[in-house]
Amino acid sequence: MIAALLVSLLMPFAAPVLVREAAPRMRPVAAMWALSATACVLVAGWLAALGGLLLAGALTVPAVARLGHLIHPWNVEPAAVAYPATALAVGALSVCACAITRSATRRLREYRAAHAQLRYASSAGDLSILDRSDADAYALPGNPGRVVVTSGMLRALDGPEREALLAHERAHLAGRHHYFLAAADLGARCHPALRGLRDAIGLAVERVADESAASAVGDRTLTARAIGRAALAGNAGGAARPSFAAGAAGGPVPQRVRALLRPTAPRRGQTVAAACLLLAVSAAALAGTTDGLVSLHRKVEIAQGEAPRGD
């Protein structure tokens, strides 16, 4: 049981390999979906494995064993591994809970503040224009979502560039990219090794919006120029958008501009290899978690007298 759960605990450390080997070999849309799904599987396996270790250790406490209606002694073997692993689970789950609570509280506060300032914005359709000198633009999720742009950003771009910028932000809203970013951030909050995966998902999200904008305006060079000028103007203005909001100036802008100006489609073999790598890591995490939790369940049944000891 413990060995199987330890597999799930170790699998997130494969994230740097996934970022290096799999992410560059996939199209942006495929990378966004595949990397996000892998991050969810890894963090779910990590949390489930910690929960299993915590439960196994807790059942050695007589009071908890009585609550679980155990009528046979509960043994966790090997004890030299089980009890340190339980202590690790307690500490890791506590850190995860604190980090997620702080992040959720901060993002909720930012979300309310971002929507509150729209009361003073000029609106047209899904577009809200803030009368501010700093240059910023971002997709603000909600019901309905809004494309938020400052007057400073509008002055920094010409007409066609504005069209490309707004197409980029509308792509974020249409694709509900904030869900992908939230999943990536959740994984990074729960396990430090997943921070690189969060950055890779963020890049994939921006690349998807870049391609959508280029298709909408019919000009890849124009889109690249709009993104570059928006990033330069935003850096100069020092604007601070909500941390959860996706924007055209986010991520590694030079890499995104190069991808627009010199598009290269990944080879089929590379894409298949990347997909197989992601699938293998996800399957290993799922198998370890499932095997460990099923074994734990059987041990609980035995200790409760509901299953033969020989099972």
Side-chain angles (χ1 to χ4, degrees):
M1 176 195 74
I2 293 178
L5 293 178
L6 287 177
V7 171
S8 295
L9 295 180
L10 294 175
M11 289 313 298
F13 290 103
V17 177
L18 301 180
V19 173
R20 184 177 64 252
E21 301 297 334
R25 291 172 168 79
M26 306 181 77
R27 293 180 182 273
V29 172
M32 180 180 70
W33 280 98
L35 293 176
S36 298
T38 302
C40 290
V41 169
L42 291 179
V43 74
W46 162 260
L47 293 175
L50 290 176
L53 291 174
L54 177 59
L55 178 60
L59 288 174
T60 62
V61 179
V64 178
R66 286 195 297 271
L67 290 174
H69 306 290
L70 304 189
I71 62 176
H72 297 296
W74 175 260
N75 295 318
V76 183
E77 297 179 353
V81 175
Y83 294 117
T86 301
L88 168 66
V90 173
L93 286 172
S94 299
V95 171
C96 288
C98 291
I100 292 173
T101 300
R102 286 198 304 267
S103 176
T105 301
R106 184 178 67 253
R107 289 176 179 240
L108 179 60
R109 186 166 57 245
E110 291 178 346
Y111 179 83
R112 289 174 174 172
H115 275 279
Q117 71 177 347
L118 296 186
R119 292 197 298 264
Y120 311 103
S122 303
S123 298
D126 64 348
L127 178 64
S128 294
I129 303 173
L130 297 175
D131 187 15
R132 294 189 342 215
S133 60
D134 55 271
D136 201 6
Y138 53 89
L140 182 62
N143 188 22
R146 308 291 300 173
V147 173
V148 182
V149 61
T150 64
S151 55
M153 178 63 81
L154 294 178
R155 286 193 295 269
L157 307 179
D158 61 27
E161 291 168 349
R162 294 173 194 163
E163 182 182 355
L165 178 76
L166 297 180
H168 177 103
E169 305 304 345
R170 290 190 172 105
H172 282 312
L173 290 179
R176 298 185 181 275
H177 292 165
H178 55 283
Y179 288 125
F180 296 93
L181 297 177
D185 186 68
L186 174 62
R189 301 278 176 191
C190 291
H191 200 296
L194 296 178
R195 291 173 182 169
L197 199 54
R198 174 181 60 186
D199 296 338
I201 293 171
L203 173 59
V205 164
E206 294 301 333
R207 288 281 297 111
V208 170
D210 290 344
E211 294 296 329
S212 178
S215 177
V217 300
D219 191 334
R220 301 182 68 87
T221 301
L222 169 63
T223 305
R225 187 171 71 246
I227 291 170
R229 293 189 64 180
L232 290 174
N235 290 337
R241 71 170 63 98
S243 59
F244 59 83
V253 174
Q255 183 176 346
R256 292 168 51 203
V257 169
R258 282 197 303 271
L260 283 168
L261 295 179
R262 296 194 296 272
T264 56
R267 297 179 180 176
R268 184 184 299 272
Q270 291 179 328
T271 302
V272 171
C276 289
L277 177 60
L278 294 174
L279 182 61
V281 171
S282 299
L286 283 174
T289 302
T290 302
D291 184 60
L293 294 181
V294 168
S295 177
L296 175 62
H297 181 259
R298 296 300 297 161
K299 287 179 180 293
V300 170
E301 285 186 326
I302 292 171
Q304 290 174 331
E306 297 178 2
R309 287 179 177 273
D311 281 9

